[in-house]
């Protein structure tokens, strides 16, 4: 009996040979290794403090008989701006500064949203479904409407760090309008100069975060670079791609892209290509003051740290990037 089993096993080994092929990770150049080390070092230097109702404010908002928007803690403002510029650096974009008056407008807007306990599941740009509370004067109400229409809005019940808010808007996975990546486009605008920041808690437990990103004069500036790709060429943190509903995107500062191009993603380490899905052209929206905005999903592309990928956008652009682990 034992001899028969041995013969059967031997026969199976002959019929079903082992797959001896090994997929090796992409090699990093010295420059890429140095850049990864610098990106990790800079990221670790960012403050990870989480904020809540006890430490978000220098002066708390008042929503009783008289409306007062309050003042954010300087640490929150500094940390959120630091995260914005960290991510902009990742895409080789110029840093931006916060504008004092825009900070005031953004804070008034956040406080109005908090006072309203505004529904986080519907579009609140320009406050189209809300009525002015009696304790809010007309001037403040108009500021809240116009600023909310010129801002990235983020609503969350978690006690996040100032940077987590930025990461949410950059990945844009909670975008109510789908995969247009509009919030990301404004954060990564090649024409953005200044930003206004605000945040306030409602009684419903939501923190209403406001980033004023649309400046009337920015649209007339020369772009700092021709295009922005997400993921960016070179080395890119895998954490910014892992998760549900994270679309990839291509933004062109001045080039007009009509229609929806065919996009192929190739894992250069396995040689396997994948077709992008849900490719859409959102150029008419004007997000980020870009001439063209293309967003898409990577389909069945497996994302593996250490692998190199090639993105081919038919007739438009082709580029490569290597994934790495930012958090260690």
């Amino acid at each position: 009996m034992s001899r028969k089993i041995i013969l059967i096993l031997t026969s199976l080994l002959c019929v079903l040979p082992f797959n001896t092929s090994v997929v090796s990770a992409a090699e990093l150049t010295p420059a890429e290794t140095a850049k990864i080390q610098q990106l990790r070092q800079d990221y670790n230097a960012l403050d990870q403090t989480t904020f809540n109702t006890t430490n978000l404010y220098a002066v708390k908002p008042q929503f009783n008989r008289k409306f007062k928007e309050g003042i954010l803690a300087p640490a929150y403002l500094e940390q959120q701006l630091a995260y914005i510029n960290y991510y902009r650096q990742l895409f080789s974009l110029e840093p931006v500064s916060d504008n004092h008056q825009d900070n005031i407008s953004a804070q008034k807007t956040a406080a109005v949203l908090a006072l309203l306990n505004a529904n986080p599941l519907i579009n609140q740009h320009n406050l189209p479904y809300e009525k002015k509370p009696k304790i809010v004067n007309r001037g403040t109400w108009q500021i809240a409407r116009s600023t909310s229409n010129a801002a990235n809005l983020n609503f969350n019940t978690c006690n996040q760090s100032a940077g987590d808010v930025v990461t949410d808007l950059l990945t844009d996975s909670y975008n109510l309008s789908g995969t247009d990546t509009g919030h990301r486009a404004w954060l990564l605008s090649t024409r953005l100069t200044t930003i206004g920041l605000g945040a306030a808690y409602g009684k419903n437990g939501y923190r209403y975060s406001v980033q004023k990103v649309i400046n009337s004069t920015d649209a007339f500036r020369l772009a700092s670079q021709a295009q922005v790709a997400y993921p960016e060429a070179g080395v890119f943190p895998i954490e910014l791609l892992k998760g549900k509903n994270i679309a990839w995107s291509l933004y062109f500062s001045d080039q007009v892209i009509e229609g929806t191009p065919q996009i192929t993603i190739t894992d250069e380490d396995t040689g396997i290509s994948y077709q992008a899905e849900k490719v859409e052209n959102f150029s008419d929206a004007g997000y980020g003051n870009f001439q063209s905005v293309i967003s898409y999903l990577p389909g069945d592309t497996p994302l593996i740290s250490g692998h190199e990928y090639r993105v081919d956008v038919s007739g438009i652009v082709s580029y490569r990037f290597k994934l790495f682990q930012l958090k260690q």
Side-chain angles (χ1 to χ4, degrees):
M1 179 67 71
S2 61
R3 185 170 180 274
K4 288 183 179 179
I5 293 174
I6 292 171
L7 287 173
I8 291 171
L9 288 174
T10 304
S11 299
L12 286 173
L13 289 173
C14 293
V15 175
L16 302 173
F18 290 115
N19 184 356
T20 57
S21 61
V22 177
V23 177
S24 58
E27 292 186 7
L28 295 170
T29 67
E32 289 170 337
T33 300
K35 184 172 183 179
I36 289 173
Q37 290 174 345
Q38 188 63 55
L39 287 170
R40 285 172 175 163
Q41 180 179 323
D42 292 346
Y43 182 81
N44 290 332
L46 293 169
D47 199 310
Q48 308 288 335
T49 301
T50 57
F51 286 84
N52 51 47
T53 54
T54 63
N55 64 349
L56 181 64
Y57 311 109
V59 178
K60 287 188 175 183
Q62 293 183 21
F63 299 151
N64 296 323
R65 294 182 179 180
K66 191 174 182 180
F67 173 85
K68 291 185 178 180
E69 67 271 14
I71 301 173
L72 284 176
Y76 182 88
L77 290 169
E78 292 168 5
Q79 291 168 30
Q80 188 155 114
L81 186 63
Y83 268 90
I84 290 170
N85 283 326
Y86 173 81
Y87 286 133
R88 285 181 63 83
Q89 172 194 327
L90 178 63
F91 294 86
S92 303
L93 292 165
E94 298 173 347
V96 296
S97 59
D98 62 326
N99 178 283
H100 177 67
Q101 191 56 51
D102 285 344
N103 283 346
I104 294 174
S105 296
Q107 184 58 26
K108 286 182 177 180
T109 304
V112 167
L113 287 164
L115 171 63
L116 291 166
N117 290 309
N119 187 340
L121 301 179
I122 61 175
N123 176 19
Q124 293 294 353
H125 295 291
N126 201 36
L127 304 176
Y129 308 106
E130 305 290 350
K131 292 183 179 180
K132 183 182 78 67
K134 291 182 179 180
I135 63 171
V136 175
N137 63 47
R138 290 186 179 181
T140 298
W141 181 248
Q142 288 306 315
I143 288 173
R145 291 192 65 195
S146 62
T147 302
S148 65
N149 205 38
N152 281 341
L153 305 178
N154 177 268
F155 312 140
N156 206 306
T157 55
C158 300
N159 292 326
Q160 297 179 308
S161 72
D164 290 334
V165 176
V166 183
T167 305
D168 281 351
L169 291 167
L170 182 72
T171 58
D172 227 350
S173 56
Y174 299 106
N175 194 333
L176 291 176
S177 57
T179 57
D180 60 33
T181 68
H183 302 103
R184 177 191 300 161
W186 285 111
L187 281 176
L188 302 182
S189 172
T190 55
R191 293 181 166 92
L192 185 64
T193 53
T194 61
I195 198 165
L197 304 173
Y201 277 94
K203 288 185 178 180
N204 57 2
Y206 274 89
R207 182 167 70 186
Y208 295 88
S209 298
V210 177
Q211 293 180 350
K212 183 180 179 298
V213 289
I214 301 179
N215 305 309
S216 58
T217 57
D218 284 356
F220 303 101
R221 295 185 70 240
L222 289 175
S224 60
Q225 58 194 57
Q227 69 181 53
V228 177
Y230 188 105
E232 173 72 342
V235 292
F236 195 80
I238 193 170
E239 291 91 339
L240 296 181
L241 298 178
K242 286 280 192 178
K244 294 182 179 180
N245 304 318
I246 298 180
W248 296 14
S249 54
L250 282 164
Y251 307 140
F252 297 89
S253 298
D254 300 300
Q255 184 178 353
V256 176
I257 306 297
E258 296 181 351
T260 52
Q262 182 176 336
I263 301 176
T264 303
I265 305 160
T266 301
D267 184 332
E268 296 282 56
D269 294 278
T270 64
I272 301 175
S273 296
Y274 305 86
Q275 290 300 313
E277 298 175 355
K278 205 175 181 181
V279 181
E280 296 182 82
N281 189 326
F282 295 101
S283 302
D284 290 343
Y287 297 131
N289 287 316
F290 287 106
Q291 189 70 42
S292 299
V293 174
I294 305 294
S295 294
Y296 60 98
L297 295 174
D300 296 325
T301 308
L303 301 176
I304 303 171
S305 182
H307 278 217
E308 182 177 23
Y309 298 83
R310 186 180 77 248
V311 177
D312 293 301
V313 185
S314 60
I316 300 172
V317 68
S318 177
Y319 74 95
R320 288 176 167 83
F321 65 91
K322 297 174 184 177
L323 290 178
F324 74 96
Q325 205 82 33
L326 180 62
K327 301 175 184 178
Q328 292 185 308

